[in-house]
Amino acid sequence: MEMSSVNNLNNPFDSDAQETEEWLAALQATMQASGPERARYLLSRLSAAAQTWGVKWRDARNTPYANTIRVEDEPPFPGGADALSIEQRMASLMRWNALAMVVRANRAYGELGGHIASYASAADLFEVGFNHFFRARTDSFGGDLVYFQAHSAPGIYARAFLEGTLTEKELSFYRQEIEAKKHGAQGLSSYPHPWLMENFWQFPTGSMGLGPISAIYQARFMRYMEHRGLLAPQERKVWGVFGDGEMDEPESLAALSLASRETLDNLVFVVNCNLQRLDGPVRGNGHIVDELETIFAGCGWNVIKLLWGSDWDPLFARDQAGDLLNALNQTVDGQLQTFAANDGAFNRARFFGQNPALQAIGATLTDDEIDRLHRGGHDMKKIHAAYLAAANHRGQPTVILAQTKKGFGMGTAGQGKMTTHQQKKLDAGTLLEFRDRFHLPISDADCEALAFYKPADGSLEMRHLLQRRAALGGFMPRRSVSQTKLAAPDIASYAKFALDADGKEMSTTMALVRMLGILLKDGSIGKHIVPIVADEARTFGMANLFKQVGIYSSQGQLYEPEDIGSILSYREAKDGQILEEGISEAGAISSWTAAATSYSVHGLPMLPFYIYYSMFGFQRIGDLIWAAADQRARGFLIGATSGRTTLAGEGLQHQDGSSQVIAATVPNCVSYDPAYAYELAVIVQDGMRRMLGNNEDIFYYITVTNENEAQPSMPEGVEEGIRRGMYCLLPQENADVRLLAAGPILKEAIGAAALLKEKLGINAEVWSVTSYTELARDGIAAERLQRLSDSSAHASYVTQQLGRSNAPVVAASDYVRSIPESIRAYVPARYVTLGTDGFGRSDTRANLRDFFEVDAKWIAFTALRELPAGKDAVQLTKFAEILGLDLTKPLSIKE
């Protein structure tokens, strides 16, 4: 990919300059007579004809390295020069307060970290948005959504301080959230974290790359809600401010084509192109702006380049021969960074000194004027013009590529330096230099003391600041939470078939989809349910939902599906309810997050069910799930075709033995591995009760399998055990051994109990474990209470259930042993665990369970080994022979 537009636009040799001028004059005459639409039409016809005639030519992938919006097309700045001057002064104050916040924290505690340079480069981009475009939610308007560049968080706090939504005391506890509580204050989180600042941040963007894809799917979900009639169309916007280095993350670019395909003109990206990532240039030997222009334009976005400030306009006007533009086209980003880090004299010699034409242009400026030439992202008038064009554009999403200087205004201590991202400690001289650079009304003493500055109440600046936010609906960022509560339907209304299964054969995946289909018809919550699938709806038995509720498509269905005569035919609809995201787990989880946070983002609770191959969930997109947890998501993640031994034949990369482990690391994720349809029904009911009825900020992860088996009806009195994590399925008076098992391995434990009774007369009690994770969390909490109160009254649920006997316990799972191992501390008896550690294999379920030693025979053998009879080596070996076990085979984790 060619980075510099000069390679595309400038032919080094014109064989007939007069002919070229005639063509250009003809095009100009057409524009003057018939307008740009006619000119575009003719250019398109010429391009098509050239291809037909065999001319190997294509339009340049890049426009010149100049601003997209011409000077003559720029609108006046709202409020004129006076308003512009006020907003420039306020931006400078916010830069100072952001800097002071970070430097103060690190002067006191050098380990706290923080960032100055990113916000220094983006301050003007944010301020124009805050003052003129970012609309807050009101009683009559849903509000715009803004994804803030994470490293700029100090600047957002600085603005909130001037607005009065954060106090000076709170600013003094930047990155000191625990210490702040000791002083009765709210600490300020490092980056946007809704979990930690639940009334402030809306969206977590701290993990770079997740903000862009989340913003795209948030904009698409807004359209989904509008098309289904759940939200009124209000011309709301989703704004995302991101870094140019951040765009290297695959998630940043993964859904660009979806945004254009769905014509998401409610979406605007602002990419802060300060040309530097954390260690150095983003594209030292090229132009990141040109590269991003190529990518976004190629994906169908409207691209606005905002590269140079108003003080460059006279220079371009004098550049009749194009020498200045040509030089900028050919100056790579690494050199532009060097220019940013040096003064006017250096730039005069190294840039304007390249040739006589540039020297003549540079001669019209003093060294100080050259030093203060603004890049486009630091010129509020031009930023406003770009934002206004983006907000008014229709039919496409828009990206604004705004060039800035990293560490703008930090002088020799940071501007454009390789080390600027890590800069968080500044000496007195640098602080004074920063103050003078922005003409801040701060004394030397206050400057060196890093005093926060706020103009007096009633001052011209404060009145303007508050008036602008009042005109836009109120302060931002601000997270609002709907207090709407939805009652979960009666369990029998959607799951009677599971509660009274009476031996009917089905898989738990089938049971889940059947419940979902009935819930979608429910008059109270049906419209709130959002089924989501990546691209396996038929695999999971969801094809019957195609006709029932339809697949969402912003265009409806423009074709006749080949299976139109089938009762399960494919149906897309503008008001469709299913979100089928194609082969993109990252996209599907981003859709799920948008739906799962609708209660706070839109004030309307939704209940998403995202069903996917369990192996491609937490393992593949765990960072996005973690971000959803931070955002206080509420919904169901369904890990289908789960377990390491249930997905017969698929092999190593498809067989999941670890997702339950990863789920256990997410504090507000409630995870279950049910064996039976009735267990699943109770879990879904409890989830709806807690998330919709109680408004708890939790989400559920439930693993279900594709293994058909006879489903029993629900025994009496087991609901609490299902919810809490275990219950006795097959009790035995004076049991010799107790067998615990989860999910598909429960039937193996039942088979083991039968083998022990039949072959050896040993009585085994069988327990169904619906959630080792919930049992472990309960145990941790109980153990802490015992430690703090010095009392044994707080026994864990596991201890309560198993404490009446000393019989040994054998626990098995279709997941790695660390899952059953998680409750070891709370089992009041000899405890042995079995699991599926190691890589998966392609084979039958029976062979897989034998390989991992979790089938009925291995469970029975393990149980015998823990009993007195099992101490007899001869009897133990004989039992192994009866069962057909190979005691010499390697450990599964070794193979």
Side-chain angles (χ1 to χ4, degrees):
M1 180 182 291
E2 296 170 346
M3 295 298 109
S4 177
S5 54
V6 70
N7 295 322
N8 294 315
L9 299 176
N10 296 305
N11 192 324
F13 175 70
D14 188 344
S15 61
D16 192 335
Q18 182 177 347
E19 182 184 35
T20 300
E21 287 301 319
E22 291 172 355
W23 277 84
L24 292 174
L27 180 62
Q28 185 176 34
T30 298
M31 284 188 63
Q32 292 171 345
S34 305
E37 284 296 328
R38 176 63 179 166
R40 279 193 288 269
Y41 172 78
L42 290 176
L43 289 170
S44 297
R45 287 296 304 272
L46 284 171
S47 176
Q51 294 296 324
T52 301
W53 298 332
V55 178
K56 302 301 181 184
W57 174 89
R58 58 172 293 173
D59 192 16
R61 288 172 291 178
N62 295 119
T63 56
Y65 207 69
N67 294 340
T68 300
I69 299 175
R70 301 182 306 165
V71 176
E72 55 266 37
D73 294 332
E74 289 176 11
F77 191 83
D82 290 343
L84 178 59
S85 176
I86 291 171
E87 292 180 23
Q88 288 170 336
R89 291 200 300 273
M90 295 302 285
S92 297
L93 288 177
M94 290 169 203
R95 278 193 177 92
W96 168 261
N97 286 333
L99 177 151
M101 187 190 326
V102 175
V103 178
R104 277 175 68 164
N106 285 277
R107 183 179 283 181
Y109 306 98
E111 68 204 74
L112 289 178
H115 302 88
I116 302 170
S118 290
Y119 178 70
S121 68
D124 300 303
L125 298 173
F126 280 119
E127 282 308 296
V128 172
F130 277 123
N131 287 322
H132 302 282
F133 293 95
F134 300 164
R135 298 167 295 174
R137 187 197 296 183
T138 67
D139 292 339
S140 59
F141 180 70
D144 292 336
L145 309 178
V146 184
Y147 285 77
F148 294 97
Q149 184 182 21
H151 287 126
S152 293
I156 311 305
Y157 295 142
R159 165 168 264 272
F161 167 60
L162 292 188
E163 292 174 340
T165 57
L166 289 179
T167 66
E168 182 171 340
K169 183 177 181 180
E170 288 169 326
L171 258 61
S172 68
F173 287 110
Y174 171 65
R175 290 197 172 196
Q176 299 166 67
E177 295 160 283
I178 299 171
E179 182 66 23
K181 286 188 176 181
K182 299 176 184 177
H183 300 268
Q186 162 78 61
L188 304 185
S189 61
S190 55
Y191 305 117
H193 291 303
W195 187 265
L196 301 173
M197 297 182 70
E198 61 180 309
N199 298 317
F200 194 84
W201 295 114
Q202 271 189 302
F203 307 111
T205 54
S207 186
M208 287 191 289
L210 302 193
I213 191 171
S214 299
I216 290 171
Y217 279 91
Q218 191 67 254
R220 205 280 293 267
F221 187 73
M222 190 186 294
R223 284 286 167 81
Y224 165 88
M225 296 282 277
E226 292 170 355
H227 288 161
R228 289 191 55 211
L230 298 174
L231 292 177
Q234 295 184 316
E235 296 293 319
R236 297 165 67 195
K237 295 287 185 183
V238 177
W239 297 81
V241 183
F242 310 114
D244 48 357
E246 182 177 7
M247 301 311 293
D248 278 346
E249 290 284 3
E251 292 89 351
S252 295
L253 306 177
L256 297 186
S257 59
L258 175 135
S260 60
R261 186 169 68 246
E262 297 282 317
T263 62
L264 296 180
D265 51 17
N266 61 343
L267 176 67
V268 180
F269 275 15
V270 180
V271 182
N272 176 20
C273 297
N274 58 35
L275 312 185
Q276 285 183 248
R277 48 193 177 202
L278 276 59
D279 290 332
V282 178
R283 293 291 184 274
N285 296 314
H287 281 168
I288 186 59
V289 169
D290 283 351
E291 181 177 336
L292 292 176
E293 179 186 27
T294 298
I295 293 170
F296 277 91
C299 286
W301 287 55
N302 174 44
V303 180
I304 298 174
K305 291 162 77 169
L306 173 59
L307 306 182
W308 311 109
S310 299
D311 39 14
W312 285 81
D313 292 339
L315 307 185
F316 287 120
R318 287 193 286 272
D319 183 34
Q320 295 299 313
D323 295 284
L324 176 60
L325 183 58
N326 189 56
L328 293 172
N329 281 334
Q330 297 188 63
T331 304
V332 295
D333 286 355
Q335 191 62 40
L336 284 170
Q337 179 192 345
T338 300
F339 291 151
N342 286 277
D343 60 14
F346 180 94
N347 280 267
R348 180 187 300 280
R350 297 296 185 89
F351 180 74
F352 288 103
Q354 294 181 66
N355 57 54
L358 289 180
Q359 288 173 359
I361 293 173
T364 64
L365 303 170
T366 67
D367 285 352
D368 187 57
E369 286 173 330
I370 291 175
D371 186 47
R372 289 177 178 268
L373 284 172
H374 285 80
R375 295 187 181 176
H378 300 305
D379 187 316
M380 286 186 165
K381 185 174 185 295
K382 290 191 179 291
I383 296 169
H384 176 268
Y387 281 20
L388 186 63
N392 291 333
H393 188 76
R394 294 295 178 266
Q396 293 171 289
T398 294
V399 61
I400 298 169
L401 303 175
Q403 185 164 254
T404 65
K405 294 180 181 180
K406 191 156 189 177
F408 178 62
M410 291 173 65
T412 56
Q415 180 172 288
K417 300 291 185 181
M418 293 294 187
T419 58
T420 189
H421 188 78
Q422 286 74 28
Q423 192 73 45
K424 50 188 68 70
K425 295 181 180 181
L426 302 176
D427 60 29
T430 303
L431 294 172
L432 293 171
E433 181 185 354
F434 186 93
R435 179 201 63 182
D436 295 341
R437 167 68 178 81
F438 292 105
H439 309 292
L440 299 172
I442 303 173
S443 68
D444 288 2
D446 283 347
C447 188
E448 293 182 27
L450 294 166
F452 297 126
Y453 183 86
K454 186 175 184 178
D457 292 343
S459 65
L460 186 64
E461 290 83 359
M462 290 302 296
R463 289 203 310 272
H464 182 85
L465 181 81
L466 297 177
Q467 285 169 0
R468 290 311 310 144
R469 283 316 310 164
L472 293 169
F475 299 124
M476 291 181 73
R478 181 179 63 191
R479 181 178 180 272
S480 303
V481 179
S482 167
Q483 298 304 316
T484 302
K485 294 185 177 182
L486 300 176
D490 182 74
I491 191 171
S493 70
Y494 64 88
K496 185 171 176 56
F497 73 93
L499 303 177
D500 301 323
D502 196 25
K504 183 176 180 180
E505 191 169 283
M506 71 183 82
S507 68
T508 47
T509 297
M510 287 175 56
L512 185 283
V513 171
R514 186 171 173 184
M515 290 177 206
L516 183 58
I518 299 171
L519 285 169
L520 284 164
K521 298 175 184 176
D522 185 88
S524 60
I525 73 163
K527 66 181 180 181
H528 296 269
I529 292 175
V530 184
I532 302 172
V533 66
D535 191 39
E536 293 278 2
R538 295 184 190 275
T539 300
F540 304 141
M542 297 174 65
N544 63 309
L545 300 182
F546 293 167
K547 277 202 169 180
Q548 179 182 329
V549 295
I551 298 165
Y552 171 71
S553 168
S554 60
Q555 297 176 291
Q557 190 157 329
L558 306 179
Y559 61 94
E560 182 180 291
E562 66 82 20
D563 60 351
I564 194 169
S566 166
I567 62 171
L568 301 179
S569 61
Y570 203 76
R571 184 173 78 88
E572 297 185 69
K574 196 169 184 177
D575 62 351
Q577 201 160 347
I578 302 169
L579 289 173
E580 188 169 36
E581 303 299 4
I583 304 174
S584 174
E585 283 83 6
I589 192 63
S590 297
S591 266
W592 180 87
T593 302
T597 56
S598 177
Y599 73 94
S600 64
V601 174
H602 304 297
L604 180 64
M606 303 297 285
L607 187 67
F609 285 78
Y610 171 28
I611 307 175
Y612 56 89
Y613 260 72
S614 65
M615 190 64 160
F616 306 141
F618 277 87
Q619 177 167 299
R620 184 165 187 159
I621 49 169
D623 199 14
L624 281 159
I625 295 174
W626 186 260
D630 188 351
Q631 202 174 325
R632 297 173 174 259
R634 301 172 186 171
F636 290 97
L637 295 176
I638 307 297
T641 57
S642 66
R644 185 146 284 162
T645 69
T646 61
L647 193 56
E650 289 289 343
L652 188 150
Q653 283 195 278
H654 284 64
Q655 292 170 343
D656 168 29
S658 57
S659 68
Q660 285 285 347
V661 180
I662 308 172
T665 67
V666 183
N668 54 340
C669 175
V670 183
S671 60
Y672 287 92
D673 184 23
Y676 294 134
Y678 69 77
E679 295 177 348
L680 178 63
V682 171
I683 293 164
V684 169
Q685 175 75 7
D686 193 51
M688 290 192 293
R689 176 188 65 82
R690 295 180 66 183
M691 293 184 287
L692 295 179
N694 296 351
N695 285 338
E696 294 184 48
D697 292 338
I698 56 174
F699 65 97
Y700 275 56
Y701 175 56
I702 307 173
T703 45
V704 293
T705 79
N706 65 335
E707 187 173 358
N708 286 335
E709 57 182 291
Q711 296 285 341
S713 298
M714 185 170 71
E716 292 213 5
V718 300
E719 291 93 331
E720 182 186 9
I722 292 172
R723 290 191 294 266
R724 298 195 65 175
M726 67 183 294
Y727 65 94
C728 188
L729 178 66
L730 298 177
Q732 278 286 344
E733 199 69 38
N734 300 317
D736 299 302
V737 65
R738 290 167 293 178
L739 308 179
L740 276 57
I745 304 304
L746 179 59
K747 64 177 170 293
E748 302 295 338
I750 294 171
L755 282 173
L756 288 168
K757 183 67 174 178
E758 175 190 345
K759 303 296 184 182
L760 302 172
I762 292 173
N763 293 321
E765 190 171 72
V766 179
W767 292 70
S768 176
V769 179
T770 54
S771 178
Y772 283 108
T773 298
E774 289 305 296
L775 292 175
R777 288 173 173 171
D778 173 83
I780 291 169
E783 194 173 53
R784 178 177 180 270
L785 283 173
Q786 290 175 6
R787 183 166 61 250
L788 297 182
S789 64
D790 193 27
S791 169
S792 59
H794 306 287
S796 70
Y797 188 70
V798 172
T799 304
Q800 293 175 33
Q801 296 301 301
L802 300 179
R804 65 179 185 272
S805 168
N806 292 322
V809 178
V810 177
S813 168
D814 210 14
Y815 288 85
V816 294
R817 284 183 58 203
S818 60
I819 284 292
E821 280 288 326
S822 65
I823 66 168
R824 175 179 290 277
Y826 320 114
V827 178
R830 168 69 179 156
Y831 187 58
V832 182
T833 60
L834 300 174
T836 55
D837 297 72
F839 285 124
R841 296 289 193 281
S842 297
D843 216 307
T844 63
R845 294 187 183 111
N847 281 343
L848 288 169
R849 287 169 187 163
D850 173 68
F851 175 80
F852 287 108
E853 301 172 12
V854 292
D855 64 2
K857 294 178 292 185
W858 281 102
I859 294 173
F861 175 81
T862 303
L864 177 62
R865 183 67 180 79
E866 298 307 311
L867 296 171
K871 307 309 177 189
D872 184 335
V874 174
Q875 184 170 350
L876 192 65
T877 303
K878 182 178 179 182
F879 188 50
E881 291 174 355
I882 293 171
L883 298 176
L885 300 180
D886 178 6
L887 302 184
T888 66
K889 76 183 190 68
L891 177 65
S892 60
I893 202 170
K894 297 286 189 181
E895 279 206 354

